[in-house]
Amino acid sequence: MNELDRPQRLALLPDATVTKYLTVGVRTGAESLPQAALAKACIALDSSSRWAAVRVRELVDEAMRRYGDGPTRADAWLAPRLHAALRLSRREAADARLWNFLALRLASDYVFWRHPGRPGKEKPVPEVSSARFQGAFHTQAFARLWWVAELFRDGDDYGPVEIACGNQDMLNTTLRLEIVQHRPTAQAIVRMLDRQSIRIGREVNALAKAVNAAGSTLMYELLAPDEVQDADAYRAWMDDIDSVHLPYESLPEGPDDIRVPETAVDALVPLFEKLYEEAPVRGREKVATASNA
């Protein structure tokens, strides 16, 4: 897409339009997206400066420039900055039409770059999954980044988001689990990653499954009570879009809507470590057997 043709403001792109034009030819790169038809179908948002497109487009360009040889590494850099640039309420972020717009109208090149398809026996030509353009919040190329930042930030601190995004299974598996909506649980998992109690993907998956299964009976909300987040502080952060600062070499500041109580995280980490020790981890038994030989 020519820079002059890029939209200047964000908008909503209906699902029906995406379904119509997101053909196999488009996903394989054999055809171009019909930008004129997509633009005609878009629904305009209000006149707020929150919907200026330039901030997002510049971040996407910078992410692709920095991580051209390693697209997966871009997640940890882009997620907190996308969250800080798109100052959305959770209700707004739940509207898939906004993410449709980002993926098809504003930055389809990013989707092809970050989530290239792989050739196979049934599909000899690489094909990007349609779910990366139009999919669930934990799968869609941009929604997954915004939501991982929202669910794993610690108040105004995006540091835990960087740690979470450093392991792809945190986005591919853990992000979709309801347990991470309890902030102390999310922070306890991140702390275990930071301490390297868990490191590789199968370990993260084992922990997430164990914590999720135990959550139905242990009730983490009672074991580790969270503080009520400050809705007014979040609203003020959303409204302060005109003074937004998105540093490239350091993390931006998130909404100052109360950090997770340390006591709550401290209460959960030993429990999660025990759950992990008892969880089946592919390959761990072989390692243990070899070390005892």
Side-chain angles (χ1 to χ4, degrees), residues 54-176:
V54 64
R55 285 186 297 269
V56 176
R57 185 64 237 190
E58 288 178 348
L59 288 175
V60 168
D61 287 338
E62 181 65 15
M64 291 192 291
R65 185 191 69 79
R66 285 180 173 238
Y67 301 100
D69 59 345
T72 58
R73 295 188 295 117
D75 292 347
W77 186 89
L78 185 54
R81 291 166 180 83
L82 181 68
H83 187 273
L86 282 176
R87 302 202 167 186
L88 307 173
S89 66
R90 289 194 177 187
R91 181 177 180 179
E92 290 169 335
D95 191 338
R97 297 175 299 172
L98 177 64
W99 307 118
N100 292 344
F101 179 90
L102 265 64
L104 277 84
R105 274 290 287 144
L106 185 66
S108 61
D109 54 336
Y110 168 83
V111 183
F112 283 101
W113 172 78
R114 175 60 186 85
H115 300 285
R118 295 180 179 179
K121 291 182 179 179
E122 296 182 2
K123 295 180 179 180
V125 178
E127 177 183 328
V128 180
S129 170
S130 59
R132 298 302 186 181
F133 290 95
Q134 175 193 35
F137 78 93
H138 52 78
T139 304
Q140 203 272 353
F142 292 102
R144 67 197 287 268
L145 297 178
W146 192 93
W147 279 104
V148 76
E150 173 64 11
L151 295 174
F152 285 94
R153 67 182 174 86
D154 187 5
D156 61 351
D157 180 13
Y158 285 118
V161 179
E162 281 192 318
I163 296 170
C165 290
N167 186 297
Q168 285 299 301
D169 285 276
M170 289 290 285
L171 287 92
N172 296 335
T173 301
T174 310
L175 179 61
R176 69 181 67 190

Side-chain angles (χ1 to χ4, degrees), residues 4 8 27 48-49 61 87 91-92 116 118 129 133-134 159 163 168 195 207 212 229 242 251 255-256 278:
L4 296 176
Q8 299 303 303
R27 299 199 306 272
S48 167
S49 55
D61 287 338
R87 302 202 167 186
R91 181 177 180 179
E92 290 169 335
R118 295 180 179 179
S129 170
F133 290 95
Q134 175 193 35
I163 296 170
Q168 285 299 301
R195 290 178 175 178
L207 173 66
N212 191 57
Q229 289 176 265
D242 291 329
L251 288 171
D256 189 14
E278 298 172 352

Side-chain angles (χ1 to χ4, degrees), residues 181-201:
Q181 295 187 30
H182 178 236
R183 296 196 306 157
T185 294
Q187 293 304 314
I189 294 173
V190 168
R191 183 177 293 182
M192 290 182 67
L193 265 177
D194 193 33
R195 290 178 175 178
Q196 295 193 339
S197 300
I198 50 175
R199 292 169 294 176
I200 58 179

Side-chain angles (χ1 to χ4, degrees), residues 6-54:
R6 283 178 178 165
Q8 299 303 303
R9 296 188 59 77
L10 305 181
L12 305 178
L13 184 60
D15 286 337
T17 303
V18 178
T19 301
K20 180 178 180 180
Y21 293 115
L22 190 59
T23 64
V24 173
V26 167
R27 299 199 306 272
T28 58
E31 303 171 2
S32 298
L33 282 163
Q35 292 297 338
L38 294 176
K40 187 175 181 180
C42 286
I43 300 169
L45 293 163
D46 61 52
S47 59
S48 167
S49 55
R50 284 201 298 140
W51 307 121
V54 64

